[in-house]
Amino acid sequence: MAEDTKHDVVIVGAGFAGIAAAERLSRAGVRVLLLDKNNYHQFQPLLYQVATAQISVADVARPLRGIFRGNKLVDVKTAEVASVNPTDRSVTTVDGMTYRGTILVLAAGAEANFFNTPGAKEHTFPLYSVDDAARLASRMLGALDSADSLPHMVDEGGLNVVVVGGGPTGVETAGAIAESIKYVVSEYFTPEFADICSVYLVDMIPTVLAPFTDKSQKYTKKKLAEIGVKLRLGVGVAEVAPDRVTLADGTVIPCRVVVWAGGLKAGELLTSSGLPQGKGGRIDVNPDLTAPGFDGVYVLGDAANITDAKGNHLPQLGSVAQQAGKWAAKNILADLAGRPREPFHYLDKGIMAMVGRGAAVAEVGVKRRQLQGPIAFAAWLGVHAVLLSGARERLGAFLSWGWDYFTHSRPQIVVYRPDAYASGWNETVQRPAPRGPGGGDAATTDAPSGDTPSKAAASGGDSRSAQA
């Protein structure tokens, strides 16, 4: 086993928390080793817009070495961490390298929680990574093209999309797909073709956006219905098959695309770490964001269960992760200087969710001032643009949003993943994946190189995109 020299701080994961911690520490003169299996930082709240071709991959994925270009104190390594030893604050990668730190920060994110639903892991499309978004986008294109070429596919559910989970991710995804059908499919194919496409939103609880007020929930359900989303609330998912979803009440929805927005859990890395796990397999961290019983080990972002000053669990939001990353860096500086740490204080700026064109809900600040419609829509755009990493990404997103809003044109409609595209065709038909002009596979040039188990979907879905 190869071993690298010891570092001041080793950070695993380049999400909101990991990036924020690395930036803050390096500004204070601390040397940081940043490890991630991808060579880019991805903006998860907008992945559904990549999947529906509203924006491009380049708008949500920024190379890590670009973020830290010229910063000699942050050493970026593209490596997948296979195991963690919290006792000596070391991690070992799949290629056999071991890295040790005076301080270890685990911000490795999470993965989809399928709640032991039969067939969900094999036949659904989560939305937690750039690759997930690329797979979903290609699968939906394959389903549309197959139904256009093979009429019998329509009767077999080829034009149905089921979104599981009524949290912000599920609501935003269902709304975006429905509007793509209404405004884009009708132009790229025909209005008649778009009329027979259906989007279903399923959740075992009887409402959507569970963290929001009744007023926001009612507005959201009304707007989703107006753009054609068929709500199946109060009933969970019993089984997912390649060509259908069976609900707990026996209802069968024929479909060839199922989006899983039903919740998150900690990844295998934490499961095998020896750290004490709580809800969702995440680590119940101390108020100062350290792991109980392991001095010098911090756990942040979707890998942690973080509480506020009153002991209430904070949601898995990008804003929580970003603030926790900055606060952890502050405490790490105290550790290195021999000073006491301080409990994390979260500045609650509110929650928000996009529903559709000109339609969104926002509940701003601790007192949850409610906004709906165009004002909330504009606020959502502004907040997410600010959170994007880099000026080029912000400009690209704004240009894409404007182009889409005024023209209904989607220049990002391309096949990122030929394998997922081909799987959208009837499996009895040997349909080749699309080929590039030179004979190669078509691709884009901007793509970067335990909760309680249940047979139903997770209540409320996940809330990663509901942030202010």
Side-chain angles (χ1 to χ4, degrees):
M1 179 186 299
E3 184 168 334
D4 191 48
T5 56
K6 188 173 181 179
H7 301 266
D8 290 338
V9 180
V10 174
I11 299 177
V12 179
F16 288 115
I19 292 292
E23 290 180 331
R24 177 74 178 270
L25 288 168
S26 64
R27 285 199 299 269
V30 176
R31 292 190 175 276
V32 175
L33 174 65
L34 179 62
L35 301 170
D36 196 285
K37 65 180 180 180
N38 300 312
N39 68 349
Y40 54 87
H41 166 73
Q42 59 186 18
F43 190 78
Q44 292 170 344
L46 293 182
L47 290 176
Y48 80 93
Q49 293 196 2
V50 175
T52 52
Q54 296 180 56
I55 60 179
S56 74
V57 169
D59 295 331
V60 300
R62 186 181 179 193
L64 294 177
R65 289 181 175 84
I67 296 175
F68 295 103
R69 186 176 65 176
N71 188 335
K72 297 181 180 180
L73 294 177
V74 178
D75 182 9
V76 175
K77 290 190 184 297
T78 304
E80 183 174 0
V81 175
S83 63
V84 174
N85 186 338
T87 302
D88 66 358
R89 297 182 291 278
S90 69
V91 298
T92 300
T93 62
V94 294
D95 57 9
M97 290 294 295
T98 296
Y99 302 97
R100 303 178 190 276
T102 301
I103 303 292
L104 175 62
V105 178
L106 300 177
E111 61 185 36
N113 192 344
F114 298 107
F115 296 90
N116 297 327
T117 305
K121 184 176 181 179
E122 296 81 8
H123 305 303
T124 68
F125 291 80
L127 262 179
Y128 195 67
S129 69
V130 168
D131 186 59
D132 288 340
R135 289 178 60 244
L136 176 57
S138 300
R139 176 60 176 256
M140 288 193 292
L141 287 174
L144 288 169
D145 284 344
S146 66
D148 182 50
S149 299
L150 305 169
H152 72 274
M153 289 288 289
V154 176
D155 296 329
E156 297 175 7
L159 292 178
N160 292 341
V161 177
V162 175
V163 179
V164 181
T169 298
V171 165
E172 292 179 341
T173 303
I177 294 173
E179 290 206 325
S180 294
I181 292 170
K182 180 177 180 180
Y183 295 109
V184 182
V185 172
S186 60
E187 291 190 8
Y188 279 63
F189 293 88
T190 66
E192 293 74 22
F193 187 78
D195 287 342
I196 55 178
C197 298
S198 296
V199 180
Y200 296 82
L201 180 62
V202 179
D203 199 298
M204 67 181 297
I205 65 173
T207 190
V208 295
L209 300 181
F212 290 71
T213 62
D214 289 344
K215 183 178 179 181
S216 295
Q217 293 171 0
K218 290 177 181 178
Y219 173 88
T220 299
K221 287 191 284 188
K222 176 184 176 182
K223 289 299 179 179
L224 287 173
E226 287 178 358
I227 58 178
V229 177
K230 300 178 180 180
L231 301 177
R232 298 291 184 267
L233 304 176
V235 57
V237 174
E239 183 180 8
V240 182
D243 59 351
R244 67 188 181 279
V245 167
T246 302
L247 304 184
D249 63 2
T251 301
V252 176
I253 304 175
C255 60
R256 301 197 70 81
V257 180
V258 182
V259 183
W260 192 268
L264 298 171
K265 66 177 181 178
E268 181 62 28
L269 184 64
L270 287 185
T271 303
S272 59
S273 67
L275 292 167
Q277 294 178 271
K279 183 179 179 181
R282 296 179 287 270
I283 308 303
D284 292 328
V285 297
N286 294 320
D288 60 11
L289 304 176
T290 59
F294 294 93
D295 192 47
V297 178
Y298 289 78
V299 187
L300 310 174
D302 287 343
N305 288 320
I306 302 174
T307 57
D308 61 17
K310 297 181 180 179
N312 300 313
H313 280 281
L314 296 173
Q316 308 302 122
L317 299 180
S319 57
V320 174
Q322 194 173 63
Q323 290 186 39
K326 294 178 180 179
W327 199 279
K330 176 182 176 181
N331 278 343
I332 289 170
L333 293 174
D335 287 337
L336 298 175
R339 301 192 306 270
R341 308 182 191 110
E342 296 182 15
F344 174 53
H345 292 286
Y346 174 59
L347 177 60
D348 189 351
K349 299 178 182 179
I351 52 178
M352 56 179 54
M354 175 76 74
V355 184
R357 302 170 72 85
V361 291
E363 298 180 2
V364 183
V366 178
K367 295 184 179 181
R368 293 292 189 263
R369 180 187 176 191
Q370 296 182 38
L371 303 174
Q372 296 176 353
I375 295 178
F377 178 77
W380 187 97
L381 293 177
V383 166
H384 285 72
V386 169
L387 287 173
L388 277 166
S389 177
R392 197 222 67 81
E393 287 73 19
R394 297 186 189 102
L395 178 60
F398 269 120
L399 290 175
S400 295
W401 288 333
W403 185 268
D404 173 62
Y405 191 90
F406 292 108
T407 70
H408 304 317
S409 176
R410 300 280 173 88
Q412 294 86 13
I413 296 181
V414 291
V415 176
Y416 293 98
R417 289 283 301 270
D419 58 331
Y421 174 88
S423 70
W425 289 76
N426 190 328
E427 295 178 0
T428 63
V429 178
Q430 298 300 313
R431 177 69 178 182
R435 311 291 288 180
D441 290 337
T444 59
T445 57
D446 58 4
S449 22
D451 290 333
T452 303
S454 169
K455 292 183 69 175
S459 297
D462 90 302
S463 56
R464 281 177 290 112
S465 56
Q467 55 189 324

